[in-house]
Structures are given as C-alpha cells and as structure tokens.
Amino acid sequence: MNILLTGGTGYIGSLTCVGLIEAGEHPVILDNLGNSKPAVLERIAAVTGVRPAFVEGDVRDRACLDELLARHRIDAAIHFAGLKAVGESVRLPLPYYDNNVHGAQVLASALHAAGVRTIVFSSSATVYGDAKTMPISEQAPTQATNPYGRTKLMVEQMLEDLAAAEPDWSVTLLRYFNPVGGHPSGLLGEDPQGIPNNLMPYIAQVAVGRRERLTIFGDDYPTPDGTGVRDYIHVLDLADGHVAALRHRCGRAGVRVFNLGTGRGHSVLEVLRAFEAASGRRVPYVVAPRRAGDVASCWADPARAERELGWRAQRSIEQMCRDTWSWQLANPTGYPS
Ligand code: NAD
Ligand code: UD1
C-alpha cells in the first residue's frame, strides 16, 4: 500500500516509516520540517535501504495535498503532523487549534476529494485527563485539561462525525501512552528542540552531560515511591502498532479507538535507575514541587489492541533506556542540520 505519513520526519513518524518499509509498504512523507530535519530521511535510508518519498509541505496547504494525492496513489493516511507541547499550548492556543484541528480538517477534506477513505490518527492518553481508575480502558470518560488535549479530542470527534455521515470511512484513533526510546542502531530517535519537557529525553541529556541534573516534579504522590507513574512504551512497539492497525483496519468501515501502551506503569525513580543501569552513568537529581497539571498515575489497559489488532508491546523498560542511550550517545546534539 502507498501510505501518506503526515509529520513523517518527526519522532514517531520516522520510526513508523521504518516499520512500514520493513513490512513491505510504501510510505510517502509530507512534513513542513517545523519540528524535524531532512537528515531523518538519510537515516531512514541507512536503516532500511529505502529512501521514502518526501514532500516538504504543510497539511494546511490544500493545493499541496491535492498535488501529492494526485501524484501518488495513496491508499491510507497516518496523521502524525501537529504540535505537541502541553505548556506551549496553554501560552499559544491559536497555533495549536490551527495546526492540529484545522490541519486535520484540511487533510480529511483532501483525502475525501481524492477518494481515500482510511485514516489513522495520532491521539494521546492525555484525552483521559485525570482518570479515576487504572488501568485506563478505551471506555473511560474523556476530558481534556489543556488546549493540546482539547485539540486531540476535537479531531477525534471531527473524524467520528465524518465516519457517521459517510459510512465508507475507516477511522482509527490511536491513543499513545508515553513513547520513548529509539532505533537500536542509534540512528533514529527523539530530538527535542531546547529544554526537553518529557522525562526520558531529559534524563538522557543529563547522562550525556548536556544538563546538570534532573528535577523530579513531586515525590509526594500516592504512588509506591511518591513519584509519578506512567506507561512508557518503546517507540518501535508503537510503530508496530501502526502497522498492525493499518493491516487490520484498512477497508473496514467505521471508527475504532485503541490504547497503545504496555499495561505497566513505572515511576520516575524506576526510570532513572533503569537509565543509570543501561548507561553506566549517574543521573543526579533534585526533588521539586509537583508540575502543574500532572496526574499521579496513568497506565493503559491495552487488551483491545491485543484482541482486535493482534498487537502487544514487547520491549522492556531496560530496552527503552538502552536504545535511548544509544541514540543520545551517537547524537549528543540531535540530528545534523
Ligand atoms: P514530532 O514533533 O517529532 O513530529 C511531528 C511532525 O509533524 C514534525 O516533523 C513536524 O515538523 C510536523 N508538522 C507539524 N505541524 C505540521 C504541519 N502543519 N504540516 C506538516 N507537518 C507538520 O512529534 P511526535 O512525538 O513524533 O508526535 C507525532 C504525533 O503523535 C503528534 O500528533 C503528537 O501530538 C502525537 N503524540 C505524541 C506523543 C509523544 O509523547 N511524543 C504522545 C501522544 C501523542
Ligand atoms: C506528557 C504530556 C502529555 C502526553 C504524554 C505522553 C505534559 C505536561 N504532558 O505527559 O500530554 O500525553 O506526555 O507523551 O507534557 N517528570 C519529572 N521531571 C521532568 C520531566 C518529567 O519528574 O523533567 C515526571 C513527570 O512529573 C511525570 C513523568 O516524569 O510524572 C513523565 O513526564 P512526561 O515525560 O512529561 O510525560 P507525561 O507527564 O505523562
């Protein structure tokens, strides 16, 4: 199949692109390079032996999409493109609604006009807000607590409305938990610009000497060691989840929602210790007050994805740390410009 990957040079998109090529599919990337570098394409080629088709452009640019869809006979789209920093979305909501909501609307309209009826959307566990019971199943109530989360919920709802109005659409909403890690070759990984917001890249930058120490946001949560618990999932498992979702869902009409997580939670201190073991480096830290908006615990019930997609996360927290470290060591300042 020819698969359009919007945001395909980004972190999750690039590793999913590798998974799709290895599965014999033909990805076509559309990315505006707002948060990624062209060097990613050479790295994908180095890992797979195939340089994916690439169009530099914006999902909000309808003419660009129409041209891409006319040139490549696209069978399905995976929509990764978007902005993803929660704190930034609170300060700058309008670019988030524009990129994430308007972008998805333009994409869906262009796909529709081109006769493409299969879309897989990158949603997030953030749509569960402060869930009351763990693990979180897809039936748990949704509730966004910040503009980023609201954009994810709005796009989910827009695609549900579309599938209700036009029953030949196949819509798959994938709610990712906490993607971490990179390709074991060290060639592809997460390349945050500026100070990382997320735990794993921050720890990796401390271990490699780019930052002095980790700040742990709160050690007084109602968790076994007092620090926040999350469902970290290896990005290669996430990539496999997309391949499974496409294979299973392509041509099957209607909307289906899947959690992509491991079903296991790890605390901040557990991740830190696992990273120290994987890297052989000490990771100094200080404890500070809780970060606004953080929940104590969040982990998935991934049973539906296992049952319906035949997919299950395989990789351990040790491997997540090892592969993050390989990437960080080989690329201490990220991808070359
Ligand atoms: P990323 O920033 O690495 O990748 C996103 C890519 O989209 C970038 O290459 C960026 O240049 C591109 N892009 C952004 N706006 C665009 C536009 N208007 N037109 C074309 N390209 C555009 O992010 P990621 O971590 O790979 O996340 C991918 C998707 O998964 C996002 O939608 C994100 O919200 C979602 N998600 C990510 C996480 C996570 O922790 N990384 C968790 C849950 C959900
Ligand atoms: C983040 C996003 C969330 C998204 C999720 C999955 C924020 C506020 N939320 O949440 O929308 O769905 O990723 O990708 O960005 N921590 C520290 N020190 C740090 C960084 C993090 O102690 O420097 C702690 C946090 O308090 C939390 C855990 O580490 O307990 C994980 O944090 P993070 O990696 O930012 O992920 P989420 O909080 O789950």
Side-chain angles (χ1 to χ4, degrees):
M1 291 191 288
N2 295 326
I3 317 289
L4 170 60
L5 304 187
T6 72
T9 46
Y11 171 45
I12 301 169
S14 60
L15 284 139
T16 302
C17 184
V18 167
L20 288 168
I21 291 171
E22 287 173 349
E25 311 293 359
H26 301 278
V28 177
I29 293 177
L30 172 73
D31 201 297
N32 66 5
L33 300 177
N35 196 36
S36 54
K37 308 237 177 76
V40 170
L41 297 164
E42 315 317 324
R43 300 289 183 90
I44 294 171
V47 168
T48 63
V50 175
R51 195 180 196 281
F54 173 68
V55 175
E56 181 174 347
D58 198 293
V59 280
R60 294 163 294 180
D61 180 346
R62 177 65 190 266
C64 170
L65 275 174
D66 287 346
E67 197 190 318
L68 184 157
L69 291 164
R71 180 137 28 97
H72 302 272
R73 292 197 8 256
I74 296 295
D75 298 292
I78 310 183
H79 184 38
F80 297 102
L83 304 178
K84 62 167 183 176
V86 173
E88 186 182 64
S89 80
V90 175
R91 285 195 313 279
L92 300 168
L94 294 181
Y96 275 72
Y97 287 101
D98 187 29
N99 247 281
N100 296 6
V101 182
H102 175 218
Q105 181 265 320
V106 174
L107 173 66
S109 305
L111 293 174
H112 193 266
V116 181
R117 293 288 183 276
T118 301
I119 188 166
V120 175
F121 173 60
S122 297
S123 190
S124 166
T126 194
V127 300
Y128 296 116
D130 194 354
K132 294 288 165 271
T133 48
M134 295 296 142
I136 306 177
S137 82
E138 291 84 352
Q139 287 100 326
T142 54
Q143 166 220 9
T145 55
N146 54 67
Y148 166 71
R150 267 186 284 283
T151 68
K152 290 292 170 193
L153 265 185
M154 283 180 184
V155 175
E156 287 198 0
Q157 287 159 352
M158 179 176 74
L159 295 175
E160 282 168 0
D161 287 341
L162 174 62
E166 312 226 355
D168 55 344
W169 271 87
S170 167
V171 170
T172 307
L173 308 175
L174 299 181
R175 293 178 178 159
Y176 311 156
F177 279 68
N178 289 60
V180 297
H183 195 269
S185 63
L187 286 168
L188 291 159
E190 187 173 6
D191 183 14
Q193 305 304 302
I195 301 170
N197 293 310
N198 300 112
L199 180 66
M200 189 69 93
Y202 204 106
I203 289 180
Q205 292 195 5
V206 173
V208 86
R210 260 178 89 178
R211 312 205 176 268
E212 212 173 313
R213 65 178 78 85
L214 174 73
T215 301
I216 295 184
F217 299 135
D219 66 354
D220 56 351
Y221 283 107
T223 60
D225 65 22
T227 65
V229 169
R230 296 291 184 276
D231 187 338
Y232 298 95
I233 173 168
H234 198 297
V235 67
L236 292 185
D237 280 325
L238 203 61
D240 291 344
H242 289 77
V243 175
L246 264 184
R247 292 255 159 106
H248 178 81
R249 294 281 305 147
C250 215
R252 276 204 175 91
V255 183
R256 216 62 194 125
V257 185
F258 297 99
N259 284 340
L260 295 185
T262 65
R264 260 214 73 178
H266 290 282
S267 74
V268 174
L269 281 170
E270 282 174 338
V271 175
L272 184 136
R273 298 295 174 225
F275 202 93
E276 287 185 328
S279 63
R281 304 268 177 105
R282 289 250 357 262
V283 177
Y285 67 88
V286 290
V287 176
R290 297 177 179 189
R291 180 171 68 181
D294 272 1
V295 299
S297 300
C298 175
W299 71 89
D301 175 355
R304 181 187 283 179
E306 182 168 357
R307 205 170 50 240
E308 294 185 24
L309 305 178
W311 167 90
R312 185 184 180 169
Q314 306 287 343
R315 296 159 176 93
S316 64
I317 191 76
E318 286 75 26
Q319 189 167 349
M320 299 179 213
C321 293
R322 229 175 14 248
D323 293 342
T324 304
W325 182 234
S326 301
W327 154 258
Q328 185 68 63
L329 259 189
N331 308 271
T333 54
Y335 289 109
S337 294

